[in-house]
Amino acid sequence: SQKIEQNSEALNIQEGKTATLTCNYTNYSPAYLQWYRQDPGRGPVFLLLIRENEKEKRKERLKVTFDTTLKQSLFHITASQPADSATYLCALDSGNTGKLIFGQGTTLQVKP
Amino acid sequence: DAGVIQSPRHEVTEMGQEVTLRCKPISGHNSLFWYRQTMMRGLELLIYFNNNVPIDDSGMPEDRFSAKMPNASFSTLKIQPSEPRDSAVYFCASSTGLNEQFFGPGTRLTVL
């Protein structure tokens, strides 16, 4: 069956360190993958999109990799700050239709 | 731009009552999505529209749920009759084609 897995446990890191979040999937062949940030009581906010023919994408302190052989995406936040504390969701397209399937999300806590 | 607008922000109702959630997408966006988010199941797609036409409603839990999009600037999600297990946060999102989705602030529904 199709499955998207993100670290279910919260990730706690020290300010200034690099946070790495993982998104694994099975039985999907997504044309692209997206990462969103969600703060408590708010809707998800888009961060980055990476296509199947792209290995890596960067935006400021954020970096996403996409390995279609491993069926995995890694999301990195360098020089992390307490303001980066939030839940991060990965989402796969389903059949190149615009329809997204979301993972459960990983909660990141950056301690000062 | 005001972003995606949802109303009401909070709704408390009793079991058996009809509930109507409303969404105004971002002007110019041609795709609209309704999601439900709970701790147990995460963010689930209920239904999505493209150019006001329902494309995929496979996520709608049962016949008690219905959604309409009478024009490009308005959509409703109706639950009739509501049940306690429908308690969740309901999000509306809009997008242009195969791009990032913009989420509204959500409606927190509590069914007693």
Side-chain angles (χ1 to χ4, degrees), chain B residues 19-21 34 46-47 60 65-67 75-79 90:
Chain B
V19 175
T20 299
L21 311 182
W34 281 102
L46 300 177
I47 184 171
M60 295 285 261
F65 286 68
S66 63
S75 178
T76 59
L77 177 68
K78 186 176 293 186
I79 309 173
Y90 291 81

Side-chain angles (χ1 to χ4, degrees), chain A residues 32-37 44-51 57 59 89 91-93 96-100 102, chain B residues 4 25-33 35 50 92-104:
Chain A
Y32 58 89
L33 183 150
Q34 300 183 20
W35 283 88
Y36 288 77
R37 168 183 173 142
V45 174
F46 171 79
L47 296 174
L48 281 166
L49 180 154
I50 186 166
R51 302 189 187 281
K57 203 80 168 280
K59 179 183 174 183
L89 303 162
L92 306 180
D93 88 294
N96 219 21
T97 60
K99 173 181 173 179
L100 293 178
F102 282 82
Chain B
V4 175
I26 293 172
S27 176
H29 284 191
N30 61 343
S31 295
L32 182 140
F33 307 82
Y35 292 90
N50 194 42
C92 175
S94 69
S95 74
T96 55
L98 306 179
N99 296 311
E100 67 266 28
Q101 295 183 13
F102 293 80
F103 283 75

Side-chain angles (χ1 to χ4, degrees), chain A residues 1-86:
Chain A
S1 63
Q2 295 177 322
K3 195 183 291 186
I4 303 172
E5 291 184 332
Q6 296 186 250
N7 313 50
S8 57
E9 293 183 11
L11 180 62
N12 295 295
I13 65 167
Q14 206 65 36
E15 182 176 7
K17 300 292 187 186
T18 296
T20 299
L21 284 66
T22 305
C23 177
N24 295 300
Y25 59 93
T26 55
N27 295 322
Y28 279 107
S29 295
Y32 58 89
L33 183 150
Q34 300 183 20
W35 283 88
Y36 288 77
R37 168 183 173 142
Q38 186 173 24
D39 291 283
R42 294 179 175 269
V45 174
F46 171 79
L47 296 174
L48 281 166
L49 180 154
I50 186 166
R51 302 189 187 281
E52 61 179 337
N53 60 349
E54 297 174 314
K55 291 280 192 233
E56 181 179 297
K57 203 80 168 280
R58 291 175 186 260
K59 179 183 174 183
E60 298 172 352
R61 294 184 296 110
L62 309 180
K63 184 179 84 170
V64 172
T65 63
F66 192 11
D67 189 325
T68 55
T69 301
L70 290 179
K71 296 187 181 297
Q72 180 182 78
S73 175
L74 298 178
F75 177 79
H76 306 273
I77 306 175
T78 58
S80 60
Q81 304 165 1
D84 295 326
S85 300

Side-chain angles (χ1 to χ4, degrees), chain B residues 1 7 11-13 18-19 35 41 44 46 50-51 58-59 62 65 73 81 86-87 90-91 96-97 99 102 107 110:
Chain B
D1 196 333
S7 65
E11 176 81 35
V12 180
T13 190
E18 177 180 295
V19 175
Y35 292 90
R41 301 176 67 90
E44 303 175 280
L46 300 177
N50 194 42
N51 294 321
S58 59
E62 47 198 273
F65 286 68
S73 59
D86 301 330
S87 297
Y90 291 81
F91 289 104
T96 55
N99 296 311
F102 293 80
T107 295
T110 302

